[in-house]
Amino acid sequence: KMGNENSLVWVTTLDKAQVVMDAKVSIRDCKNNLLGEGTTSVNGIWSFNGKLNPANCGYGEYDTGVLVIAEKG
């Protein structure tokens, strides 16, 4: 969830939809700029306080976006 004041990432396993604690989370924009990073909680949640401000890459109506990467292990 990306909001104007904060954002939230909830990490679960693909096979059983179980929460993943201590996963490394990073958020990048379309120009590969690192916007935020952190580690998930015991509930599989990582939150970012503040606006992410992704770069504008000029792809039309939806000019901004982010890539969320979660790694464990």
Side-chain angles (χ1 to χ4, degrees), residues 1-68:
K1 172 192 170 278
M2 188 167 82
N4 288 329
E5 296 179 14
N6 56 46
S7 298
L8 177 127
V9 175
W10 181 31
V11 180
T12 62
T13 61
L14 292 174
D15 58 348
K16 297 183 181 178
Q18 295 177 331
V19 298
V20 180
M21 65 181 282
D22 295 325
K24 180 183 174 191
V25 175
S26 58
I27 300 178
R28 295 186 173 272
D29 66 14
C30 58
K31 294 186 177 180
N32 204 29
N33 296 315
L34 182 63
L35 303 177
E37 62 184 344
T39 305
T40 58
S41 69
V42 66
N43 297 321
I45 295 173
W46 173 75
S47 60
F48 178 84
N49 292 320
K51 190 170 176 132
L52 288 173
N53 294 317
N56 184 317
C57 289
Y59 297 126
E61 183 178 348
Y62 301 102
D63 288 336
T64 61
V66 297
L67 172 66
V68 178

